[in-house]
Amino acid sequence: AEKLGIKLCYLPPYSPNLNLIERVWKFLKKVLKNTYTPNFFDFIEIIKAICGEFNLTFKEKLSSLLNNKIQIIR
């Protein structure tokens, strides 16, 4: 890492704001809010449909959530 000029920083063991998948789950929960599914399999299909729309319908919103603009506070 040093040869490539990469600076390694310690991160706490649990840091959801720095974990991109946590941002995706938060987004999915917002989209799914007030959505009823009669069974688990329908729920899975809805999740798949939403994920399939990431590059189309939700591209702009996800781009703002999934970036590398991280502020480190000491």
Side-chain angles (χ1 to χ4, degrees):
E2 189 176 315
K3 288 180 183 179
L4 297 174
I6 298 171
K7 182 180 176 183
L8 301 177
C9 298
Y10 166 79
L11 297 176
Y14 180 71
S15 50
N17 290 337
L18 301 176
N19 190 343
L20 295 180
I21 193 63
E22 296 289 344
R23 296 179 194 182
V24 172
W25 285 125
K26 184 177 180 179
F27 174 78
L28 279 172
K29 285 193 278 185
K30 279 185 181 180
V31 173
L32 290 171
K33 185 179 174 181
N34 298 323
T35 301
Y36 171 76
T37 55
N39 59 55
F40 181 72
F41 298 107
D42 290 343
F43 178 73
I44 296 297
E45 291 305 314
I46 289 174
I47 296 286
K48 287 180 183 178
I50 292 169
C51 292
E53 293 293 314
F54 277 178
N55 283 333
L56 304 170
T57 308
F58 303 116
K59 184 176 182 174
E60 188 175 322
K61 179 63 177 168
L62 283 171
S63 293
S64 69
L65 294 174
L66 305 177
N67 59 47
N68 59 1
K69 295 178 183 172
I70 298 171
Q71 182 178 4
I72 298 175
I73 300 172
R74 294 179 186 217

